[in-house]
Structures are given as structure tokens and as C-alpha cells.
Amino acid sequence: MSSTLDLAKQLISRRSLTPLDDGCLDIIGTRLTVQDFKLEKMRHGEVDNLWARRGNTAPLICFAGHTDVVPTGPADKWDSPPFEPTVRDGMLYGRGAADMKGSIAAFVTAVEKFVAEYPQHHGSIALLLTSDEEGIAVDGTVRVVEALQARNEKMDYCIVGEPTCVSKLGDTIKNGRRGSLSGTLTVKGVQGHIAYPHLVKNPIHLAAPAIAELAATEWDKGNEYFPPTSWQISNIRGGTGATNVVPGTVEMLFNFRHSTASTVESLKSRFHAILDRHGLQYDLEWENSSGKPYLTPRGDMVDAVAAAIQQVTGVTTELSTSGGTSDGRFIADICPQVIELGPLNATIHKLNECVSVADMEALSEIYRLTLIKLLVKHA
């Protein structure tokens, strides 16, 4: 059994349902200590975090990820128990295999091989791991980043091990993510009997023209890396349940997925302006932004990872900013170059989640070559 596969199986066997770590960080920490990493455990609430660093000079390259996993769903629907890692036909099955214990195992073995080859390497290496990514993500990576900010400790490069690939290993790097901005809009009317329309103000009717304008608005055009910003309603609630009562209010939950071409402030301002132009009476509650957009243009980091992918797999990678948010949104506050690269994402959060054993080995090699390209002079 390879070192990467062995470690992945150890991690998958831990029932680390978010926000629990269930000993994963201890397994990883034991191996990193042998490689002269200084370990800092940062526990917040029920969440376990680990900041592990080797070296104290720049540049600092960090591998970031999470040990927590989503619930398994009905365990009897799996072909093998979700927390009993099983290899079948070259695939490793188990909850978290692809998202993202396979990546973490590849992080660790890549570092071990690199340090064995270059014990006096230039710069520093770090791992930032949390058990609070799949949940509400308030006591995980964001807390570690805050602690690092407080002591002015910054990264130069970061690889987040989220599963990014579509059809073959290395075909997609995430070099940024859209921001997410949500809110609750309550439009006010006057409730009354549906047979007396002159005595009511139907908030659904009042809101409809504004909704149409909001849906048709071009918030921005996007840019080279991002599609245009999207505004979507996710829920509408109105009415008493009776067929003969006009409701007094209608409530809408909505979300912007926005590019770097817009800011939170500009979106809020334009949103309010449209509502006001339609003369609505309303209450509007904005949620704290769950993620600012971030972007890593082509440069040292992207070039190094793309070259390593090409060298190991022969694949010419594509850059993408699609999908939801990741912990990269927090790390970008202290790191100018953040990318995501991990295995195929076809089975994540599904029954029978799995990762290719061969892909895990190749991923470890990609990470190792990236370390060489960024930390070994003249590589």
C-alpha cells in the first residue's frame, strides 16, 4: 500500500462529521512533527484547527483544507460502509475520499517527499487545516486567518485541496471564486378580503414590477475570469393559507453571486434604488457577506501548478471561477495568490463517494513538483 493511500484510509475511517475532527489532525500532526513542523492547535467552540509551519523565511507556501465531512445519507444505500475505506477497481470509497481527505493525504506525502529531497529548502511550508468547512464556517479557517493577521504572519502562495477537476485529474484549477451576498426583502401592503380590492394593497402585485426589473438588470459584465453577476430569488413567502385573503406582506430570500467587477456596496446601493423607484414600502435585511470574491491572475502560482499538472498528467489545465464558495475566500485576505486544486468532483457529497487511487498518487506528485518550482531556486 502506498503512503498516500494508507494515510487517506486512516483519515476516512474517522467519523469527522462537521464540525468534528475525530482525531484526524492528531494523525496528520504526528507525521508533520517528524518533518520538523511547528504545530499550533487553535480550538474554537467545537471546531479543531491546525496551523503547522516548517521554516520562518519567505516565501511561504501553504496547503489548506478541511477534515470535516458532510453526513453520509442512508448508510445502507452505500455499497460499502461510508467510514470503512474500501478499494474496488482502483477507486477508494468512503465519505470524504474526494472532499477532501484524499487531497490532505496527498498534501502530507508530497511534503514528506519534498523535505526528504530538499531538507534545507528555500522559504517555508505550512498546512492550515480545519474541521469547520462543510458547516457554518465561523470557527474554522477564518479564525486561523484572524490569528495570523494579528501577528502579521502572511502567506505568499496557497493551494486549497478542494475537488476541482471535471473529467480527468488536472483539467481544472480554480483561480478565484465569486462573492456571495444574501438578503431578506419584506414588501408591505394592506391585508384584507379578496372580494374588496379597493380596501387592500396586494404586496405581491406591488412587488412584481420591481422583481422583474431586478431580474432583468445587468449588474456587471463580468471580466476575463468571472461571468456577469447573478441575482436570484430562492424563496417567496406570502399569504395566510386562505384563498380569500390578500396578504399584508410578502417575503423574499435572495442572493447575489458576484464577480470582482462589483462590490457589496455597489450592489446594495443599486438594489435599494430600484425598490425606491417603484415606490415600495419595505424592510430589507442584509446578511453578513459570506464571501468576498477573490482572484489569482496568471502568475507564479498558476504557472507553477499548471506546469506541474502538465508534467505529471500531460493535461493542459483550464482556469475557472465557477461553483460556490470555499475557504479560499478567507485565506485571500492574507495571501495574494490562492488557487484550488484537487481530484475529480463527480461524487462529492454523494452516496459511494470515491477517488481514484492513481489520481491521489498523481496529485501528491503535482503538489511535490509545485513545491520544487516555488521553493527551489533555478528549478
Side-chain angles (χ1 to χ4, degrees):
M1 186 185 303
S2 78
S3 179
T4 306
L5 175 59
D6 179 57
L7 178 54
K9 294 178 74 171
Q10 290 181 58
L11 297 175
I12 292 169
S13 68
R14 299 289 178 155
R15 295 175 175 268
S16 56
L17 293 166
T18 190
L20 301 179
D21 169 72
D22 196 32
C24 291
L25 293 180
D26 289 335
I27 294 171
I28 297 163
T30 297
R31 294 179 69 138
L32 293 177
T33 299
V34 176
Q35 306 300 321
D36 296 325
F37 277 78
K38 177 184 177 183
L39 308 184
E40 289 184 68
K41 291 188 175 181
M42 303 181 188
R43 184 172 175 84
H44 293 273
E46 296 182 308
V47 175
D48 289 298
N49 303 302
L50 176 66
W51 173 249
R53 177 166 179 164
R54 184 183 199 272
N56 53 23
T57 60
L60 169 60
I61 180 169
C62 174
F63 294 101
H66 60 91
T67 60
D68 59 323
V69 298
V70 296
T72 64
D76 60 348
K77 300 295 184 182
W78 286 65
D79 293 337
S80 52
F83 293 108
E84 292 182 14
T86 304
V87 176
R88 296 192 302 274
D89 300 321
M91 304 296 293
L92 172 62
Y93 289 83
R95 176 53 88 222
D99 188 15
M100 56 174 288
K101 292 179 176 180
S103 296
I104 292 175
F107 287 165
V108 173
T109 57
V111 169
E112 289 173 340
K113 294 171 188 174
F114 175 78
V115 170
E117 190 175 1
Y118 300 99
Q120 305 300 322
H121 62 81
H122 181 59
S124 305
I125 306 171
L127 274 77
L128 193 169
L129 303 174
T130 183
S131 67
D132 183 37
E133 195 275 345
E134 297 289 8
I136 57 176
V138 296
D139 285 325
T141 298
V142 64
R143 297 290 192 182
V144 179
V145 168
E146 289 170 354
L148 297 178
Q149 281 179 312
R151 63 197 193 203
N152 200 33
E153 190 169 358
K154 298 179 180 180
M155 308 173 196
D156 297 281
Y157 311 105
C158 182
I159 298 177
V160 183
E162 291 291 349
T164 58
C165 299
V166 179
S167 59
K168 59 179 65 175
L169 182 68
D171 63 9
T172 307
I173 292 173
K174 301 285 187 182
N175 68 316
R177 294 279 189 162
R178 293 174 294 175
S180 178
L181 175 64
S182 297
T184 301
L185 171 66
T186 303
V187 177
K188 302 176 182 179
V190 176
Q191 180 177 320
H193 199 293
I194 203 166
Y196 297 89
H198 60 291
L199 299 179
V200 303
K201 290 184 179 180
N202 192 318
I204 299 173
H205 295 178
L206 294 173
I211 292 173
E213 182 175 347
L214 290 165
T217 295
E218 183 183 77
W219 301 95
D220 59 49
K221 295 182 181 295
N223 54 39
E224 177 186 358
Y225 297 101
F226 287 98
T229 290
S230 167
W231 178 78
Q232 297 289 332
I233 294 174
S234 58
N235 288 272
I236 295 183
R237 292 192 288 266
T240 65
T243 60
N244 61 351
V245 178
V246 169
T249 60
V250 60
E251 181 184 82
M252 284 161 275
L253 308 182
F254 64 88
N255 176 265
F256 285 99
R257 289 300 166 103
H258 61 100
S259 71
T260 51
S262 290
T263 65
V264 168
E265 292 72 21
S266 70
L267 294 174
K268 287 182 177 181
S269 176
R270 294 179 66 190
F271 193 87
H272 277 282
I274 291 172
L275 298 179
D276 293 341
R277 187 161 58 249
H278 286 271
L280 299 178
Q281 289 186 296
Y282 63 90
D283 290 327
L284 180 53
E285 295 183 7
W286 295 99
E287 294 183 12
N288 291 330
S289 179
S290 61
K292 297 181 295 184
Y294 72 91
L295 176 66
T296 299
R298 290 176 177 85
D300 294 349
M301 186 68 179
V302 170
D303 291 348
V305 175
I309 290 170
Q310 177 72 37
Q311 191 170 337
V312 174
T313 68
V315 170
T316 299
T317 194
E318 293 186 4
L319 303 182
S320 172
T321 60
S322 64
T325 59
S326 78
D327 277 359
R329 68 191 189 273
F330 304 126
I331 297 168
D333 286 341
I334 60 170
C335 183
Q337 299 189 55
V338 181
I339 65 99
E340 299 172 33
L341 173 65
L344 273 64
N345 57 24
T347 64
I348 60 175
H349 294 204
K350 293 183 178 181
L351 301 177
N352 295 314
E353 179 182 352
C354 59
V355 65
S356 162
V357 174
D359 281 358
M360 279 196 304
E361 295 299 336
L363 188 59
S364 177
E365 181 64 6
I366 290 168
Y367 293 153
R368 186 187 72 86
L369 288 176
T370 301
L371 285 169
I372 291 174
K373 294 177 186 299
L374 293 174
L375 297 184
V376 179
K377 293 183 178 180
H378 311 300

